Amino acid sequence: MKISKRLYSYYMVWPALLIYSLFFVLPTIIGLFYSFTDWRLDRTELHFNGWTNFKTIFSDSTLLLALKNTVIFAVVTVIGKNVIGIALAVALNMKLKTRNGLRAIFYSPSILSIMVISIVFTPMLRSDGTINKLFEAVGLGSLSQAWLTDPAIVIFTIAAVSIWQTAGFQMAIYLAGLQSISKEYYEAATIDGAGSWKSFVNITLPLLLPAININVMLTLIGGLKVFSEVFVLTGGGPGNASQVVGTIILRSFGEGSWGLGTAVNTLLFVAVTIISIPLLMFMRRKEVTE
């Protein structure tokens, strides 16, 4: 009887575990197998080719550029989304008459389709677009750039659009964390003579660590898996300047190089796992110690 009661909770987990295994674990294992084969559209038989696909990834300049762009995009968006998200959350946690309306305004881009955002931003980011004209109108014409056609800055432009879209979502998570912090901490700090900055560093940030952990992981994984923003804004161009791992996977499958595409996808999965799990464990330890 005791054994059956002990196993009861596991019975409730089995359906979800079965679905997860069927639609995630099993495809991952199959994909891992195919990444070591010469699987192509024009072939009817599979042959095991060892590390050939992975050697191709690290010897092809376009694939290396895609890996570099993915890392740049992830780093820039993690920093940008979280810094702006915290700043907005702190500002809109104050007693402002318009704070509810402002929260809705800043959060609303995160529910928009990336297709809608591309329709809005593509004309704005042209060389003769709204942003450059605005710079010229205020006497800052030297800041005008070919935002989507300059290979040196195009990945940063796409990252900026992504930050604009989802920083409000991070703000909402930080707001929930801020509202769970007791005001007594700040009252005690004020009595002790601490200013706003010291209160933020010594009270807000440590108590906001759970929300920071969540947002950093969400933005990091989302940044490494970037695809939609690049696909709709530049398609990987100009040339291959804004190619990322996601667009390389699409191109590989489109060209019929299914084994290579699967290998790139496997590499992305391994990279996300290697980076995210140790980072999560480190941040959780910091959360506990704080």
Side-chain angles (χ1 to χ4, degrees):
M1 190 66 176
K2 290 182 178 179
I3 295 177
S4 61
K5 287 183 178 180
R6 193 181 309 142
L7 294 176
Y8 180 76
S9 59
Y10 291 99
Y11 296 151
M12 303 297 290
V13 173
W14 277 114
L17 184 61
L18 180 62
I19 294 173
Y20 178 79
S21 300
L22 183 63
F23 291 101
F24 181 79
V25 176
L26 184 60
T28 300
I29 294 173
I30 295 174
L32 181 63
F33 166 76
Y34 281 127
S35 65
F36 291 95
T37 67
D38 60 353
W39 188 29
R40 287 186 55 86
L41 177 64
D42 56 356
R43 295 178 183 174
T44 57
E45 295 183 359
L46 291 177
H47 299 93
F48 185 79
N49 63 0
W51 296 96
T52 301
N53 291 327
F54 295 95
K55 290 178 181 178
T56 301
I57 294 173
F58 290 103
S59 61
D60 188 303
S61 59
T62 302
L63 295 177
L64 288 175
L65 178 61
L67 292 173
K68 176 185 174 182
N69 285 339
T70 302
V71 173
I72 292 173
F73 182 90
V75 172
V76 172
T77 52
V78 167
I79 296 173
K81 291 177 182 180
N82 285 282
V83 171
I84 294 175
I86 290 178
L88 289 174
V90 171
L92 298 181
N93 195 44
M94 299 177 182
K95 294 181 179 179
L96 302 174
K97 291 183 178 180
T98 59
R99 65 178 181 177
N100 290 332
L102 290 173
R103 289 174 184 177
I105 290 171
F106 286 116
Y107 180 79
S108 59
S110 65
I111 64 176
L112 294 177
S113 166
I114 187 62
M115 295 300 295
V116 174
I117 292 173
S118 69
I119 293 172
V120 173
F121 272 95
T122 300
M124 293 174 61
L125 292 168
R126 290 174 182 165
S127 298
D128 58 348
T130 307
I131 293 177
N132 285 343
K133 287 181 178 179
L134 181 61
F135 281 139
E136 292 172 2
V138 297
L140 297 174
S142 60
L143 296 179
S144 298
Q145 301 287 336
W147 302 103
L148 293 177
T149 55
D150 185 347
I153 65 171
V154 62
I155 193 66
F156 296 98
T157 302
I158 298 171
V161 173
S162 180
I163 291 170
W164 175 87
Q165 182 189 9
T166 58
F169 179 80
Q170 271 66 56
M171 174 202 71
I173 296 176
Y174 286 127
L175 269 173
L178 286 172
Q179 291 173 3
S180 67
I181 300 175
S182 174
K183 294 181 181 179
E184 295 178 357
Y185 294 112
Y186 297 104
E187 293 172 356
T190 302
I191 294 171
D192 290 338
S196 300
W197 177 249
K198 285 189 176 180
S199 295
F200 175 76
V201 172
N202 296 303
I203 298 175
T204 304
L205 283 182
L207 295 179
L208 206 57
L209 274 177
I212 294 174
N213 293 348
I214 293 171
N215 272 331
V216 168
M217 294 307 303
L218 288 176
T219 52
L220 175 63
I221 294 173
L224 292 174
K225 293 171 62 179
V226 59
F227 169 76
S228 301
E229 295 91 333
V230 176
F231 183 73
V232 300
L233 286 171
T234 64
N240 290 312
S242 63
Q243 292 282 2
V244 291
V245 171
T247 55
I248 288 294
I249 293 171
L250 177 67
R251 191 182 74 174
S252 298
F253 276 92
E255 294 174 349
S257 302
W258 297 342
L260 178 61
T262 308
V264 177
N265 191 47
T266 299
L267 185 64
L268 176 62
F269 170 76
V270 172
V272 171
T273 303
I274 290 175
I275 295 172
S276 61
I277 291 179
L279 180 62
L280 178 62
M281 294 174 65
F282 170 75
M283 295 178 71
R284 284 290 176 86
R285 284 199 300 268
K286 291 289 290 182
E287 181 181 331
V288 172
T289 55
E290 293 289 349

